[in-house]
Amino acid sequence: MEKVIYLTNGSAALSESYQQVESLKGAGKSKNLRAHHTAMQPIRSKEDFDKFCTYFLSNHNYRDYALFIVGIELGTLRGCDLLKLKIKDVYDGKEFRDTVYGVVEQKTGKIKNVYIPEYPVGTAEELADKIAEFLPIARAVLGVKNLKIITFGPRPQDFFACNAPIKGLYELGVEIEENSELDLLVSYKEHAGDPRIADVCKDMAAEMGEGHYYPDLLTRMAQFELTLLDWAENHKGSKKYVAFADKCWPAFPSQFGFEPCYVNSRLASRGIPVACEVDIYGALSEYIGMCASGDTVTLLDINNSVPKYIYDEDITGKFNYKLTDTFMGFHCGNTPSCKMCSDRAVKYQLIQHRLLEPAGSDPDFTRGTLEGDIAPSDITFYRLQCDSEGQLRAYIAQGEILPVATRSFGGIAIFAIPEMGRFYRHVLIQKRYPHHGAVAFGHYGKTLFEVFKFLGIADIAYNQPKSLPYPTENPFA
């Protein structure tokens, strides 16, 4: 028989073999196994594991069943620590919790949150896969605990994304540093003439390619990039990692002389997300996605529909999506160039050019966006948010970017997510999520779901199939 291994080492210390249980039953002995001092043997097969569960449940011995399961799955805890747990800590009456929170180790005094996998039993090869699946989960959880989010500028009144309570950040262990735009401007001016600027300009020119950037704008953008990088290094304090959430309009372009979007995209490609509009939870979401995927991410508006003529010309009959499954994911130009089509270029913000610069003039300080269609890819659309009551909640939806031209401006793409229309109405609108959603380039829903569970997020929504109505969905519609 192939040897079966457990993901933890708790089985030998907390249970006897099924054969011993059977022998006790056959001899008519008491069901209270604690009274017998028999030799301990590890469980070596899935069949024995299942028989143990059946034995406890068939005898309505829920306490020992819970202790057995917890001992198997929480082998990282000592017996003295397990004895302190209550049933409600691990079992809600229907199923076992995915994470046991706030366990204080008697020996070390350390506080532990213990992750419980879906099923902790398997062969060496099966458990190797489980451990590999856990690595990005652990990376994200540890990353969040070591993250500092730095903001510049006041959070605008009209943007719920920017006004969400920061209580949830402290609960997650995330540190927050809030600064004014003036602080950033002072630091930016102090970087004028920095000897590193020339090398950054060369790197920007090489990244974009000839004809895809404004040569006269490079120095200003390079100076700003160095300003942010130095601020991150000098202000992260006891934390290891940094993300930014900055106010990027309307004052920024006129005072700094450019739009920050392209620079923001470059930092995101290095693992330092920079969320626009002081979207603190957008920055946090981006960072979690980077940890979970091991790749760069972006942050986009999700309140733009696909024109019907584009759907009729390029989608219907070619892709298995309804019009309501599709939407335009858009932002001014913060998506990293490596995730965009080859014709991407540094351009200007069309709307702000109309509003902030003289009519009929050429774009000047509204230049600096990275524009073009985002390249086709599998995607995961997600966000972690703190609501107005101070409760953390999240959503996750998987889909794809279609290989369809947008005929529009900004960093933009046509997204398709199954049952997006219902998801938009009964999750994004119903639960008052903001207009920004984070995008990971691949299907990482499984990993993100586990990350959010481990972080203690109770409300994790997803795009439910038509056969599974939302609680607020009219069953007669």
Side-chain angles (χ1 to χ4, degrees), residues 16-31 33 36-39 41 51-52 55:
E16 296 154 309
S17 69
Y18 171 72
Q19 286 80 5
Q20 291 170 327
V21 175
E22 287 297 298
S23 65
L24 290 173
K25 288 169 59 181
K29 300 287 184 68
S30 168
K31 294 179 182 178
L33 302 183
H36 300 274
H37 301 281
T38 53
Q41 296 293 329
K51 288 176 181 177
F52 245 106
Y55 170 74

Side-chain angles (χ1 to χ4, degrees), residues 89-165:
D89 294 327
V90 297
Y91 189 66
D92 65 5
K94 295 181 180 179
E95 58 185 16
F96 283 91
R97 303 185 188 280
D98 301 287
T99 308
V100 178
Y101 298 99
V103 178
V104 181
E105 290 187 325
Q106 180 173 306
K107 183 176 181 179
T108 66
K110 294 179 179 179
I111 298 177
K112 268 191 175 183
N113 292 340
V114 184
Y115 175 76
I116 305 176
E118 290 288 339
Y119 191 66
V121 183
T123 64
E125 291 77 11
E126 291 169 340
L127 290 186
D129 292 338
K130 292 179 185 290
I131 293 171
E133 289 178 355
F134 182 68
L135 289 178
I137 300 170
R139 184 167 58 230
V141 171
L142 292 174
V144 167
K145 300 298 182 186
N146 288 281
L147 178 65
K148 183 173 190 175
I149 298 178
I150 299 173
T151 74
F152 290 104
R155 284 170 273 172
Q157 176 64 35
D158 295 335
F159 283 80
F160 176 69
C162 315
N163 275 302

Side-chain angles (χ1 to χ4, degrees), residues 64 107 196 313 364:
D64 288 351
K107 183 176 181 179
R196 299 170 293 173
E313 290 179 9
D364 179 19

Side-chain angles (χ1 to χ4, degrees), residues 144-148 168-175 239:
V144 167
K145 300 298 182 186
N146 288 281
L147 178 65
K148 183 173 190 175
L169 298 176
Y170 292 103
E171 292 177 350
L172 294 173
V174 176
E175 188 175 333
K239 297 294 185 177

Side-chain angles (χ1 to χ4, degrees), residues 114-349:
V114 184
Y115 175 76
I116 305 176
E118 290 288 339
Y119 191 66
V121 183
T123 64
E125 291 77 11
E126 291 169 340
L127 290 186
D129 292 338
K130 292 179 185 290
I131 293 171
E133 289 178 355
F134 182 68
L135 289 178
I137 300 170
R139 184 167 58 230
V141 171
L142 292 174
V144 167
K145 300 298 182 186
N146 288 281
L147 178 65
K148 183 173 190 175
I149 298 178
I150 299 173
T151 74
F152 290 104
R155 284 170 273 172
Q157 176 64 35
D158 295 335
F159 283 80
F160 176 69
C162 315
N163 275 302
I166 60 176
K167 169 179 175 286
L169 298 176
Y170 292 103
E171 292 177 350
L172 294 173
V174 176
E175 188 175 333
I176 181 82
E177 175 190 303
E178 298 181 282
N179 307 279
S180 74
E181 291 171 282
L182 183 59
D183 295 321
L184 183 60
L185 182 60
V186 169
S187 182
Y188 172 72
K189 289 182 175 180
E190 290 174 347
H191 279 76
D194 191 304
R196 299 170 293 173
I197 288 177
D199 287 339
V200 177
C201 289
K202 290 178 183 178
D203 189 57
M204 288 178 170
E207 177 186 15
M208 296 309 301
E210 197 65 32
H212 293 268
Y213 62 92
Y214 298 105
D216 66 300
L217 199 61
L218 290 181
T219 297
R220 281 177 266 176
M221 295 191 299
Q223 182 178 330
F224 182 60
E225 181 173 306
L226 290 170
T227 301
L228 289 180
L229 290 174
D230 285 351
W231 194 287
E233 185 61 30
N234 295 332
H235 286 252
K236 63 184 179 182
S238 62
K239 297 294 185 177
K240 296 180 180 179
Y241 313 111
V242 167
F244 287 100
D246 302 345
K247 188 177 181 184
C248 50
W249 63 274
F252 185 99
S254 64
Q255 299 306 306
F256 285 78
F258 60 94
E259 299 281 1
C261 309
Y262 173 55
V263 175
N264 293 351
S265 78
R266 282 173 55 85
L267 265 66
S269 68
R270 302 181 189 183
I272 306 175
V274 185
C276 46
E277 296 163 355
V278 206
D279 184 0
I280 296 172
Y281 285 95
L284 174 61
S285 299
E286 286 188 272
Y287 182 78
I288 290 173
M290 287 179 176
C291 293
S293 67
D295 195 5
T296 191
V297 298
T298 192
L299 190 72
L300 300 176
D301 287 358
I302 54 178
N303 52 355
N304 301 285
S305 59
V306 174
K308 191 173 186 304
Y309 81 90
I310 294 181
Y311 177 81
D312 291 340
E313 290 179 9
D314 294 338
I315 299 177
T316 185
K318 301 176 183 178
F319 302 96
N320 188 27
Y321 293 109
K322 306 184 295 292
L323 176 59
T324 54
D325 291 338
T326 64
F327 67 98
M328 293 276 199
F330 162 87
H331 229 278
C332 306
N334 58 320
T335 300
S337 63
C338 59
K339 299 301 180 182
M340 303 184 73
C341 295
S342 59
D343 60 350
R344 81 285 182 273
V346 176
K347 296 184 180 180
Y348 67 96
Q349 219 292 340

